[in-house]
Amino acid sequence: MEEAIVRTALVTQKLEAFERLQSEFEASLGFIQDVHGQQRFSAFPVAETVHYLHALWICACKDHLLNVSTHSRRYEGNMCLGLLQGWQEGKTAAVVAFLERKLDGLAFAGLTRKIEKAATVLPPHEDLAQRLAHGRLVLLNRRMNLLRALDAIFALSEHDLLQEVHAASVYYGHTPQQIEQQRAEQDDVRSSSVLHPLLAQRNMLVMNTIGTHVITQQAARGRARFWRVVTPRDPSRPFAEYLMRTYQEQTSRSQNVQVQGDLLAQAHDAIIIHSPDDRILVWNQGATALYGWTEQEALGKDIHTLLQTCFYASREAVALVLATRGHWQGQLTQTSRDGKRLIVESCQIFVPAKAGQAAVIVEMNQDVTEREQFLQEQAEAKARELALQETARQMDAFLGIASHELKTPLTSMKGNLQLAQLQLTRLQQQGTTFDETTAQALTTARSLLDRVERQIKRQNRLVNDLLDISRIQTNQFTLQRTRCDLVRIVCEVVEDQRILAPTRTIRWHTLVSQAEVWADADRVGQVVNNYLSNALKYSEAGTPIDVRLEQEETMVRVSVHNQGPGLSETQQQQVWKKFYRIGEMEAKSGSGMGLGLGLYISQTLIERHDGRIGVESTPGEGSTFWFTLPFAPLEHI
């Protein structure tokens, strides 16, 4: 009695929840029908793809609430939530793959042959030919809509695409936080499977109402629609019970156990009826399409031997559930005629023996191989991503420790070097006259010390880059921003580089006398120094380097141009990445040694100053690296 009360309360909750969802479901189903070919969209922007995934999820919610074909998961609601969540994180490939799968299986050639056959038989089936032609047009419209959806995705840059996806997701109520909550709600008791006449009847009434509405609107839509609203004999019975009753009615009138009629023969899903000892009695067209064996080849065979069925639990456990509960639902792995392994969602019902007829098991199977493989690939990709994140975290921790450990001996070496240079200078300034051999030895010693100093400076720059990377990754990177003059910062860096590279020509161009910015002067100078060092390193010794500072409305722009080999479009996108080095580009001066961190750090520094950064280059014509910073606001002046 208590169980019946709980069951009734749950059904009431499910119906109340659907009341709140019904209007949105009807709109969503209409949109899905249009996307699937009832009209051809002139354009299908990214927001409509988000709308499409949202509508699929809403229809799945309706199926959960009204207990409709839960074994088929035809609307892929949970998958759509996963796609929307991943898309907002930049995972566009999964959405593209989903849309591309929707393009498959559009049998235009097969429909064309059927249309020709319907038009040529005697007497011609004009009505059938017209319906087939309409069906082919629907498939064509569907294909064009999905292609436009893909075109819209590929036409946008990654930044613009993610902005549109996020904005549309917010509009339809699918922020990452909302998606986590929506996915958790699928475990709510209202989404559980409860066979009940009221739920089945409500679903029949809603779907018939929508179908009737479509027929009444066909003139306004301007194109013919071939919809048929079917009033079931007993709308209070779920489909499985209706199928069993039909089977029993037909077998009671005949000793032949093969069910006649369109219900089984023309069903889309594979429907197999077999005896309790697994001998196949009925094999419909859906089973032939899924597994490859014809009805004649399958009848009388042991179903599990023929299909090489693998049970996720055990064969005995499934048989026990069927015997005690009368039904079982779950996944099986089976093999088709061509050897392909299939994952099927199986719904099995045990029909006990009655007077004049034997007990049978009705099995309805749907191929979910692609979906399961997609989910597995998603899980594997997530695992790989987590592994990469952990590896990156460990690498960042290692870089931080290693760079700190390297910093200490370098500081000591630099101090000892400076002390040796100082003593050598004092010795040479004492006015003591040395013989030629000693004088030459002192000159050689100074040259060696200068070389060691250059190497220590180079190593110190590398260690500082590693420290910066470690601070960036651990969010310990801070800026000491003050009001400063960008003209002066750039001018000082140019003068320093002229001293370090006295044989090179560095030209300084500006018409701006002062450019006040709110910035960390040392860090901005580091960016300019990186640009100039790279320009000198990758250009011929006889070519000049041009440094410019210009005003652009509310921004000030600094650029460094070299006449080096230039960069391809791919290289221009890659140079900003961490640890990226252009392997085929040879350093023209200085050392080619580097970690590929300078431009990555430069980009991070400028972006944290609310600026922009970029490169303009043509292979063979040199490169111009630039950045912009906003002028200091009034409150900082």
Side-chain angles (χ1 to χ4, degrees), residues 28-99:
S28 295
L29 182 59
F31 180 69
I32 290 172
Q33 289 168 344
D34 285 337
V35 174
H36 288 177
Q38 296 305 322
Q39 68 166 308
R40 184 180 298 183
F41 291 86
S42 58
F44 205 92
V46 170
E48 291 289 47
T49 299
V50 175
H51 183 190
Y52 177 49
L53 295 174
H54 166 76
L56 291 172
W57 173 72
I58 288 294
C59 289
C61 291
K62 169 261 185 185
D63 280 0
H64 282 303
L65 291 173
L66 297 187
N67 202 60
V68 179
S69 302
T70 54
H71 68 281
S72 68
R73 302 180 186 177
R74 55 181 176 171
Y75 288 117
E76 304 159 309
N78 190 53
M79 180 190 295
C80 291
L81 288 180
L83 290 173
L84 287 171
Q85 187 173 37
W87 206 2
Q88 293 177 72
E89 299 169 357
K91 301 172 185 175
T92 304
V95 178
V96 171
F98 175 78
L99 295 175

Side-chain angles (χ1 to χ4, degrees), residues 202-236:
R202 182 59 180 276
N203 182 67
M204 293 287 187
L205 292 174
V206 170
M207 298 307 292
N208 281 354
T209 300
I210 294 175
T212 303
H213 179 70
V214 169
I215 287 178
T216 59
Q217 295 298 314
Q218 65 174 356
R221 289 291 185 112
R223 54 185 175 273
R225 296 232 184 185
F226 301 101
W227 286 73
R228 182 177 60 178
V229 181
V230 179
T231 303
R233 298 179 184 176
D234 186 355
S236 65

Side-chain angles (χ1 to χ4, degrees), residues 372-385:
E372 293 302 315
Q373 289 176 345
F374 176 75
L375 294 175
Q376 182 178 354
E377 290 170 2
Q378 272 193 323
E380 291 174 352
K382 185 66 174 178
R384 288 194 297 270
E385 181 182 354

Side-chain angles (χ1 to χ4, degrees), residues 245-312:
R245 188 187 62 192
T246 304
Y247 168 77
Q248 291 172 339
E249 288 176 354
Q250 295 206 19
T251 54
S252 66
R253 294 193 296 268
S254 171
Q255 294 302 312
N256 181 4
V257 295
Q258 179 173 343
V259 177
Q260 305 296 321
D262 291 341
L263 181 63
L264 291 180
Q266 297 180 8
H268 177 71
D269 290 344
I271 299 179
I272 306 166
I273 300 178
H274 57 88
S275 60
D277 62 356
D278 301 323
R279 185 169 53 88
I280 298 173
L281 306 174
V282 173
W283 180 272
N284 79 331
Q285 293 178 10
T288 297
L290 178 58
Y291 299 110
W293 284 283
T294 65
E295 182 181 16
Q296 292 75 18
E297 292 170 329
L299 292 179
K301 300 290 195 309
D302 183 296
I303 181 173
H304 300 310
T305 301
L306 180 68
L307 302 180
Q308 301 177 37
T309 306
C310 289
F311 295 84
Y312 284 82

